Amino acid sequence: MPLKNDSLAEILSQRGVSRRDFLKFCGAMAGVLALPQRYTTRIAEALQTAQRPPLVWLEYQDCAGNTESFLRASKPTAAEIVLDVLSVDYHETIMSAAGHQAEDALDETIAAHKGEYLVVVEGSIPTKDGGIYCTVGGYAAVDRLKQVAGGAAAIIAVGTCATYGGLPAAAPNPTGAASVSDIVKGVPIINLPGCPMNVQNLTAVIVHYLTFGAWPATDQFGRPLFAYGSRIHDDCERRAHFDAGQFVEDWGDEAHRKGWCLYKMGCKGPEAFHNCPIVRWNDGTSWPIGAGHGCVGCSEPYFWDSMSPFYERLPNVQLLGVEAEVDKIGAGIVGAVAGTFAIHGVISAARAKAQPIERHEVSAPEEE
Ligand code: SF4
């Protein structure tokens, strides 16, 4: 493990983070990673002895939403502890250095820690016209990314722009915006899509790496299975209303006020894989569907094109009968709850069969 000197235990002690809060954090991370709670101790032991890997955070065609997500976590949780676990040596938005001084910091880190440092990338990378649409410190983003990535231990692409190209890559993609995976080859890449990514998942990925010495198992899009292994629809708090045929028909109607299902208002939860309903946002306070807005599928590839119009049911996606069944259920043709459960079970099984999650086992912790 790469490294800077002070251990996490020393740093936390200096910052006045209590042992109790630290163990609560480790327990929460075990939960996000879908590990049994008995892993809490192992995570705590690993983090206390881990040396701080250097990390550089690159921003290209982005809105800084992932940086905001990273910094907005409160309590001694995600962002604070990640900042303690890591040595963030370069981050344009939060570092005090600027100009040549900042670029020198990046050059020094990648030279001194070759093969050891982690890279977080936020934003897409323009490739048209020699990459001139995004330059930092005189470098085209595409060139600087290749240079920095070449000596990295791994890259974590955060947000939909870095993982799939995001909004800049939406048709007609005027800058030739590309994802990290399109540009970088031969380096492990973990994708954390979402608009923005959830800092709990970024923290959990790093905790997994520091605890087990390996990256979490991922799906065919390089997304960790612990965070993107199940559909939003399957964990949604409004799911009982879907099964019961209780749908919002108009914004602000009685059904909307009662918290019924948003499927007819364009919710893409049945097509989106993410742990939003479980981890939620703002320290677990709420999440889009909980606040009354349908899922827009922001963790899915090219969602700006593939999931829009956002306020209509998907026009071109085969939902294997859900469209038809939803109308029947809403019209009361299928009234019994038991009946709708059975129907939805068949639909879900059919869709699961039609859309298997291809699992690329990068690594997984052994059972204790
Ligand atoms: S369609 Fe959307 S709101 Fe309805 S249960 Fe599924 S995820 Fe939840």
Side-chain angles (χ1 to χ4, degrees), residues 17 60 70 96 99 147 189-190 207 212 226 230 269 287 338 347:
V17 175
Y60 296 129
F70 180 54
S96 55
Q147 180 199 14
I189 298 172
I190 302 292
V207 165
F212 302 107
F226 74 78
S230 62
W287 65 299
I347 294 167

Side-chain angles (χ1 to χ4, degrees), residues 232-233 236 238-239 242 261-263 267 269-270 289:
I232 282 179
H233 185 62
C236 179
R238 298 181 188 232
R239 172 62 179 272
F242 180 97
C261 175
L262 296 159
Y263 180 73
C267 179
I289 288 177

Side-chain angles (χ1 to χ4, degrees), residues 25-37 40 43 204 226 275 278-279:
F25 166 79
C26 294
M29 284 298 101
V32 175
L33 287 165
L35 295 171
Q37 278 301 303
T40 298
I43 290 171
F226 74 78
N275 59 357
I278 297 168
V279 175

